[in-house]
Amino acid sequence: MTAKITENMCFIPSFEYVDNGIEHGVLSPFETKELLLKKGRKISEGFKPLPCDLRMLKDVPVQLRDGITIYTDIYLPITDEEVPVLIGWSPYGKSAGTAPRYKNLFNMLGMGNQWNSGLTKFEAPDPAYWCANGYAVCNPDMRGIAHSEGDTTMIGSQEAQDGYDLIEWLADQPWCSGKTALTGTSYLAFSQWFIAAEQPPHLTCINPTEGLADGYRDLAFIGGIPDKNFIERLQINHVSAKGAKREDLIKEMTTFPLANAPLWEDKVADPSKITVPAFVIASYSNTLHTMGTFRSWRLLGSDEKWLRIHDRQEWPYYYDESNTEELRRFFDYYLLDIDNGWTDTSTVRYSLLDFQGGNQTDIASKTFPPIASQNKRYYLNGKFRSLEEIPLSEDTPVQYAVSNLPGRSSFQMTFLEETHFVGYPKAKLFMEVDGYDDMDVFVWVQKLDKFGNVLSEFVVPNQGAALQDFTQEGASALRYKGAWGRLRASKRLLDKQVATDEIPAYRFDSVEKLKKGQIVELDIVLSPIGLSYKSGETLRVVISTKDELGSVMPGTLGCTPDNKGTHIIHTGGEYASYLQLPLMSTLATRS
């Protein structure tokens, strides 16, 4: 049966699928057939020649449990042996590796397109590489996409069930060894949290590389603040050649504004139900994926799990040759039964960034945060606009008006010795608003050099003028500027079953507007951090009326805050606001 939750969804017509062999890639025209792709062939100009012969099973029909048929492309090595299969589950076109929009994207990032064969589904593994190493690759068009039947949903049980059905269908094919794995970045990562939690019998292992895990908290209402702009960008990928409908998250945000609606509860992954081995990839810098990736890692039910925290954007990381080789070691161990010592890999490897070219990566640890990391409070001092280890004895308020520049207040401290922070930061702020009944509060932890300059670092290869423009006040997924968090004051109630002193978590099931003169306690979760400061360098925490980091990607607006009047931060006395940071007492060696 179709998932019952679809009865709660809002649907509108999908965008039209243009089947011209250009817009969705040179191999996109629909035809169920088998192709032999010869070694040395270039699928399209500018891409890498194929390293080996491989078979392409094109537009293969797969029937799901409710009778809906979806279509998938499957790439196979030339062999009589049964092989395992890697699956990239997403709404992105299965044949769109040569589509202009993706070629232009990777050129804009400075990656070019020579790193792949052109068979690569967006954010998925390159079939040419994996077929050359004894794997099959399956690129499905999920329900409602292109020629696949049904209506497209976005995140949740319908996709999870469909992914389950595809896995079990693949395992039953004569060329398949019965072993399967999910891999990929972004959408292809967060779909893994949902599909793997369904526990398909033939799912062997997973490799989520940076993906959100909660449709409400990580995407639609980060910090309880609605953000429709990036969702609109995502939904343009919902294209159909069969007049399908697509789930309209924008309308659902208006219809169901609170997280306890069944629709949003269905979009919360439960990684505790995942039991297969997992190689999880995270970074501190992705303002869309970091929170969900770390949360899922903490909750994972797998006995065999690894976490690697890198210092780049997810696409250059995932397609880097050495990282692909390491991922193959993980898959070789579980899918090909090769005893290559994978299980000796450190359970956790984290990075320590410095924004000045001295990043340390692959620091080995058994946990994250490392055992040597201890939470320390630095109190906001409204008198000197500083961060201090001891709070003021009396409250000293600091205020800033929403309508006047700069619309923010900051506090800072300069280090006298080298200092490292690794783990989960948070801010506890005692605040009130004068002239309105709500506040959207944005927090940003910066690093300043010894001259007072604000530091950041690109996480993609391109650092040219155009990308400077886009990322100076936006495109935050491409340029890391420090830990961040945000919260709408009227949705401040903590979920006491989940929240800890270290990591706040919110119910988002009610709205409690602020009264005049009411001082509220805001526990604001900040993104995980791994940041070092040398003697003479400064940490600055910015509390603002707007998202100072800007939008996630170029060409997309960030959220629109609902702020009016004057914000007042209380510091000292019974309202001792503070920034809590994970201070390292010692630093482990690099693995």
Side-chain angles (χ1 to χ4, degrees):
M1 295 294 291
T2 306
K4 186 173 178 57
I5 193 62
T6 57
E7 298 173 4
N8 296 74
M9 294 177 177
C10 302
F11 287 95
I12 58 176
S14 295
F15 296 100
E16 182 181 358
Y17 182 78
V18 180
D19 206 354
N20 60 2
I22 299 173
E23 184 163 337
H24 298 289
V26 297
L27 293 175
S28 63
F30 183 82
E31 187 177 3
T32 297
K33 62 181 180 179
E34 180 174 335
L35 300 173
L36 175 63
L37 304 179
K38 298 294 290 183
K39 178 180 177 179
R41 174 178 172 179
K42 278 192 175 184
I43 302 302
S44 183
E45 193 59 38
F47 291 87
K48 184 188 298 184
L50 297 181
C52 63
D53 293 352
L54 55 91
R55 294 166 58 202
M56 179 184 183
L57 308 183
K58 189 174 184 303
D59 293 311
V60 180
V62 179
Q63 190 173 84
L64 306 176
R65 69 186 67 179
D66 61 351
I68 290 293
T69 296
I70 65 170
Y71 292 90
T72 185
D73 291 343
I74 299 170
Y75 298 90
L76 296 167
I78 306 299
T79 178
D80 292 329
E81 296 181 3
E82 296 176 347
V83 295
V85 57
L86 309 179
I87 305 161
W89 183 274
S90 77
Y92 307 136
K94 59 182 174 58
S95 306
T98 57
R101 62 186 179 278
Y102 297 134
K103 289 195 294 185
N104 294 340
L105 172 64
F106 289 120
N107 283 327
M108 182 267 290
L109 298 179
M111 295 172 61
N113 293 281
Q114 278 287 341
W115 50 268
N116 88 109
S117 65
L119 300 176
T120 310
K121 182 181 184 181
F122 182 51
E123 302 182 329
D126 184 355
Y129 171 88
W130 290 99
C131 286
N133 287 285
Y135 292 84
V137 173
C138 174
N139 290 340
D141 273 338
M142 56 186 246
R143 161 185 311 251
I145 299 297
H147 293 270
S148 292
E149 298 173 355
D151 295 330
T152 303
T153 64
M154 191 172 176
I155 315 170
S157 58
Q158 183 66 73
E159 278 193 56
Q161 293 171 16
D162 292 350
Y164 178 112
D165 292 351
L166 176 65
I167 287 168
E168 295 309 300
W169 179 88
L170 288 166
D172 196 42
Q173 299 309 297
W175 50 262
C176 184
S177 67
K179 291 189 174 185
T180 72
L182 294 163
T183 184
T185 80
S186 190
Y187 200 109
L188 287 81
F190 64 75
S191 62
Q192 293 181 53
W193 306 125
F194 291 87
I195 296 171
E198 289 286 303
Q199 300 182 355
H202 288 92
L203 179 62
T204 308
C205 55
I206 61 174
N207 166 234
T209 300
E210 299 202 52
L212 59 87
D214 184 321
Y216 189 96
R217 293 165 179 82
D218 297 336
L219 179 63
F221 291 88
I222 301 174
I225 303 170
D227 186 354
K228 299 179 179 180
N229 295 314
F230 188 72
I231 291 175
E232 288 181 341
R233 179 180 181 134
L234 284 180
Q235 292 186 157
I236 64 172
N237 295 288
H238 295 172
V239 294
S240 174
K242 294 193 172 182
K245 294 181 180 179
R246 58 188 177 93
E247 184 182 2
D248 184 5
L249 261 69
I250 303 298
K251 186 174 181 180
E252 290 170 350
M253 290 173 67
T254 302
T255 306
F256 308 108
L258 298 178
N260 59 347
L263 179 124
W264 294 114
E265 290 177 339
D266 186 70
K267 298 184 187 299
V268 181
D270 186 358
S272 68
K273 293 181 179 178
I274 298 174
T275 58
V276 296
F279 182 23
V280 180
I281 308 299
S283 72
Y284 308 121
S285 61
N286 196 307
T287 47
L288 184 63
H289 297 150
T290 294
M291 297 287 205
T293 305
F294 278 88
R295 186 187 319 113
S296 296
W297 159 257
R298 295 194 301 270
L299 297 175
L300 259 180
S302 307
D303 292 330
E304 300 171 275
K305 60 179 183 177
W306 289 266
L307 174 66
R308 188 182 188 192
I309 306 168
H310 63 94
D311 64 344
R312 303 168 74 182
Q313 199 268 347
E314 61 203 33
W315 300 323
Y317 171 89
Y318 187 74
Y319 295 114
D320 176 83
E321 184 176 355
S322 63
N323 296 335
T324 302
E325 288 290 316
E326 181 181 57
L327 177 57
R328 183 159 69 92
R329 287 186 62 236
F330 171 71
F331 284 147
D332 281 355
Y333 184 83
Y334 286 106
L335 297 173
L336 295 181
D337 298 319
I338 297 175
D339 187 5
N340 56 16
W342 169 262
T343 53
D344 295 330
T345 304
S346 298
T347 305
V348 172
R349 287 170 290 166
Y350 66 91
S351 294
L352 188 67
L353 313 184
D354 77 347
F355 289 170
Q356 299 184 83
N359 292 353
Q360 300 178 56
T361 58
D362 289 327
I363 303 171
S365 176
K366 293 182 179 180
T367 62
F368 187 86
I371 295 173
S373 175
Q374 301 293 322
N375 291 323
K376 185 177 178 63
R377 295 177 179 179
Y378 298 92
Y379 293 92
L380 276 58
N381 184 311
K383 186 175 182 180
F384 298 108
R385 289 288 198 90
S386 59
L387 293 167
E388 306 288 349
E389 296 187 16
I390 300 174
L392 289 168
S393 58
E394 295 183 359
D395 180 20
T396 304
V398 174
Q399 64 183 34
Y400 52 91
V402 172
S403 58
N404 296 335
L405 294 175
R408 71 174 80 96
S409 291
S410 65
F411 305 79
Q412 58 188 49
M413 59 180 172
T414 300
F415 297 96
L416 301 178
E417 60 184 9
E418 188 169 346
T419 304
H420 309 288
F421 299 106
V422 182
Y424 298 107
K426 78 166 187 180
K428 182 183 282 289
L429 303 177
F430 293 91
M431 296 185 67
E432 66 174 299
V433 60
D434 183 24
Y436 199 47
D437 60 1
D438 211 344
M439 292 183 290
D440 287 347
V441 180
F442 298 84
V443 179
W444 178 16
V445 178
Q446 297 177 328
K447 178 179 177 178
L448 281 58
D449 67 14
K450 64 181 181 180
F451 303 108
N453 299 306
V454 178
L455 300 178
S456 63
E457 71 176 30
F458 279 97
V459 290
V460 293
N462 182 11
Q463 302 173 18
L467 218 60
Q468 292 279 2
D469 294 341
F470 277 123
T471 61
Q472 182 169 318
E473 295 169 345
S476 56
L478 309 181
R479 184 175 182 175
Y480 183 44
K481 305 172 185 178
W484 64 277
R486 66 197 197 198
L487 182 64
R488 175 161 288 182
S490 62
K491 295 183 177 180
R492 64 192 176 277
L493 295 183
L494 294 173
D495 183 344
K496 295 183 178 179
Q497 293 183 326
V498 179
T500 65
D501 176 69
E502 183 177 42
I503 307 172
Y506 315 101
R507 288 164 35 183
F508 291 144
D509 60 359
S510 62
V511 174
E512 293 188 6
K513 295 289 190 178
L514 280 62
K515 300 180 178 65
K516 182 175 177 59
Q518 180 184 7
I519 300 173
V520 294
E521 184 177 345
L522 305 179
D523 284 272
I524 302 180
V525 62
L526 304 180
S527 57
I529 194 172
L531 194 59
S532 66
Y533 291 83
K534 294 184 176 64
S535 175
E537 294 178 336
T538 296
L539 182 151
R540 177 185 182 221
V541 59
V542 179
I543 302 163
S544 180
T545 58
K546 57 186 177 297
D547 185 359
E548 304 270 352
L549 278 70
S551 62
V552 175
M553 289 294 289
T556 304
L557 296 174
C559 70
T560 303
D562 180 22
N563 279 322
K564 297 177 183 177
T566 299
H567 291 186
I568 302 168
I569 309 168
H570 292 267
T571 71
E574 62 179 312
Y575 303 118
S577 298
Y578 60 83
L579 178 66
Q580 182 167 288
L581 294 172
L583 177 65
M584 290 285 287
S585 56
T586 59
L587 190 63
T589 57
R590 180 174 175 174
S591 63

